[in-house]
């Protein structure tokens, strides 16, 4: 995908040139324009023509071939219908004209989103933390196509963004699950599971409480990943979520972590044997000195 700069005129209504001081993420749209020819290039042309005297604006319009930049990353665009959304996020419009392959266009938008989030310093896209639907800000039915599962649903879009980030710096958050997690539990390990389900767009809740809602979400995740959809988190579901399954794992104490290797004897002849002659001598002297002091 080529990214083409076709900036709207600076100082126009659509591009006031106001600096975005606090950019926290990306907001996704569908253009709402299903007319033939309403691709990325023509959207950018529009913001250089009549569209420059109006709002809304957007940073990028993406179709199956290119991403056209109308407003540069460091400037505010009015694309969310809310002050907060405009002041803190980049707007990416996915084209939905019939002459553009919407699957490829949406894939391109996922790739561009990953690039932008990586540039902001993130290693993972998290819905409602750094990746938003227009709907999250104003309640508008946008991105209208993704919200209808065209060409795929939102959680797939978020996964695709993360897939691109994986290629560069994305690391799944490491966590360990030590026992089966299921409905009815209030368990700290459930937080690991729900955090990642949230990051993948399956739920909005990061919680320790495994209730019926979380069970439903787990089943949905399992179904989409070819696992037995029983709503119980065991080894396979843990691993599919990027975690480690280890029933024998003992969490290290949080306060005063041990400074020695656990298999290292603390005292005794074995330690002395490993010391050089020089160190042995010194150890014995110090030992003696301590005894004298005591
Ligand atoms: Zn929108």
């Amino acid at each position: 995908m080529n990214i083409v700069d076709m900036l709207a005129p600076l100082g126009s209504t659509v591009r006031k040139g106001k600096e975005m001081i606090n950019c926290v993420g990306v907001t996704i749209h569908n253009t709402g324009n299903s007319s033939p020819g309403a691709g990325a290039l023509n959207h950018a042309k529009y913001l250089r023509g009549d569209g420059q005297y109006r709002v809304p604006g957007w940073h990028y319009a993406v179709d199956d071939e290119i991403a056209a930049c109308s407003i540069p990353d460091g400037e505010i665009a009015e694309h969310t219908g809310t002050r907060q959304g405009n002041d803190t996020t980049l707007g990416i419009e996915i084209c939905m004209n019939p002459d553009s392959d919407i699957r490829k266009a949406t894939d391109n938008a996922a790739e561009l989103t990953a690039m932008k989030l990586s540039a902001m310093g993130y290693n993972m896209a998290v819905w409602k933390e750094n990746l938003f639907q227009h709907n999250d800000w104003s309640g508008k039915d946008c991105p209208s196509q993704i919200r209808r599962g065209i060409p795929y649903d939102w959680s797939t879009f978020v996964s695709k963004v993360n897939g691109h980030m994986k290629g560069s710096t994305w690391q799944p958050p490491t966590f360990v699950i030590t026992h089966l997690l299921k409905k009815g539990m209030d368990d700290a390990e459930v937080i690991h599971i729900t955090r990642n389900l949230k990051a993948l767009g399956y739920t909005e809740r990061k919680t320790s409480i495994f209730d019926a809602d979380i069970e439903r979400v787990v089943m949905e995740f399992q179904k989409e990943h070819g696992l037995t959809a029983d709503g119980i988190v065991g080894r396979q579901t843990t691993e599919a979520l990027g975690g480690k399954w280890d029933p024998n794992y003992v969490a290290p104490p949080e306060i005063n972590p041990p400074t020695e290797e656990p298999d290292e004897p603390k005292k005794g002849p074995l330690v002395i044997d490993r010391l050089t002659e020089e160190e042995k001598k010194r150890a014995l002297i110090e030992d003696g000195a301590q005894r004298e002091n005591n």
Side-chain angles (χ1 to χ4, degrees):
M1 172 193 43
N2 280 327
I3 301 174
V4 185
D5 273 342
M6 283 190 66
L7 300 182
L10 185 59
S12 61
T13 309
V14 79
R15 186 185 167 204
K16 298 186 178 71
K18 200 175 159 202
E19 189 189 354
M20 201 192 302
I21 298 158
N22 181 29
C23 184
V24 303
V26 171
T27 299
I28 300 298
H29 309 259
N30 280 116
T31 60
N33 189 340
S34 53
S35 307
L41 217 55
N42 279 336
H43 271 83
K45 279 183 187 163
Y46 171 71
L47 290 194
R48 301 173 88 153
D50 290 350
Q52 69 178 281
Y53 306 108
R54 306 173 55 185
V55 289
W58 50 84
H59 294 89
Y60 297 89
V62 184
D63 62 19
D64 60 348
E65 288 182 352
I66 64 159
C69 179
S70 289
I71 297 176
D73 292 4
E75 295 177 21
I76 289 170
E78 294 177 53
H79 58 102
T80 68
T82 68
R83 180 76 182 272
Q84 199 195 346
N86 295 343
D87 284 357
T88 61
T89 64
L90 297 178
I92 295 181
E93 294 274 355
I94 304 171
C95 295
M96 45 189 278
N97 49 315
D99 41 318
S100 158
D101 174 358
I102 195 165
R103 178 171 290 269
K104 185 75 175 86
T106 310
D107 284 350
N108 283 346
E111 188 183 345
L112 180 64
T113 300
M115 277 171 57
K116 294 302 165 191
L117 292 179
S118 297
M120 289 171 207
Y122 295 111
N123 54 25
M124 190 172 180
V126 181
W127 183 25
K128 294 191 183 181
E129 284 185 21
N130 56 23
L131 181 55
F132 304 86
Q133 300 183 10
H134 183 176
N135 176 265
D136 296 329
W137 297 113
S138 68
K140 186 181 173 182
D141 183 16
C142 179
S144 61
Q145 301 306 290
I146 294 182
R147 290 173 61 78
R148 281 161 185 73
I150 303 169
Y152 38 72
D153 63 15
W154 178 249
S155 64
T156 305
F157 181 80
V158 177
S159 295
K160 287 197 177 227
V161 173
N162 276 317
H164 286 294
M165 297 183 78
K166 237 182 246 178
S168 45
T169 56
W170 191 83
Q171 294 287 329
T174 50
F175 63 92
V176 180
I177 300 300
T178 63
H179 51 269
L180 291 178
L181 302 174
K182 56 190 171 188
K183 192 169 79 178
M185 286 180 160
D186 182 353
D187 189 312
E189 291 187 6
V190 176
I191 295 173
H192 294 308
I193 297 299
T194 53
R195 180 190 59 212
N196 281 22
L197 286 168
K198 180 173 181 245
L200 293 170
Y202 283 88
T203 179
E204 296 174 36
R205 296 168 58 219
K206 188 176 102 180
T207 176
S208 66
I209 298 163
F210 202 131
D211 56 16
D213 174 52
I214 296 301
E215 183 187 48
R216 181 188 55 75
V217 164
V218 167
M219 287 168 78
E220 193 187 332
F221 174 83
Q222 289 171 327
K223 214 184 294 172
E224 289 185 12
H225 287 76
L227 305 170
T228 308
D230 57 6
I232 298 171
V233 177
R235 175 190 290 272
Q236 288 186 327
T237 305
T238 298
E239 289 174 354
L241 279 165
K244 190 170 182 276
W245 174 261
D246 184 358
N248 299 316
Y249 179 77
V250 180
E254 281 177 26
I255 305 157
N256 300 327
T259 51
E260 295 179 34
E261 294 296 322
D263 59 347
E264 190 99 353
K266 280 182 185 156
K267 282 182 179 138
L270 276 175
V271 176
I272 293 284
D273 282 352
R274 280 192 212 145
L275 302 176
T276 62
E277 286 305 310
E278 181 77 35
E279 286 169 323
K280 269 187 209 171
K281 239 180 266 171
R282 203 165 48 229
L284 289 172
I285 290 164
E286 279 170 13
D287 189 33
Q290 252 171 20
R291 250 182 252 151
E292 276 171 31
N293 287 341
N294 286 344

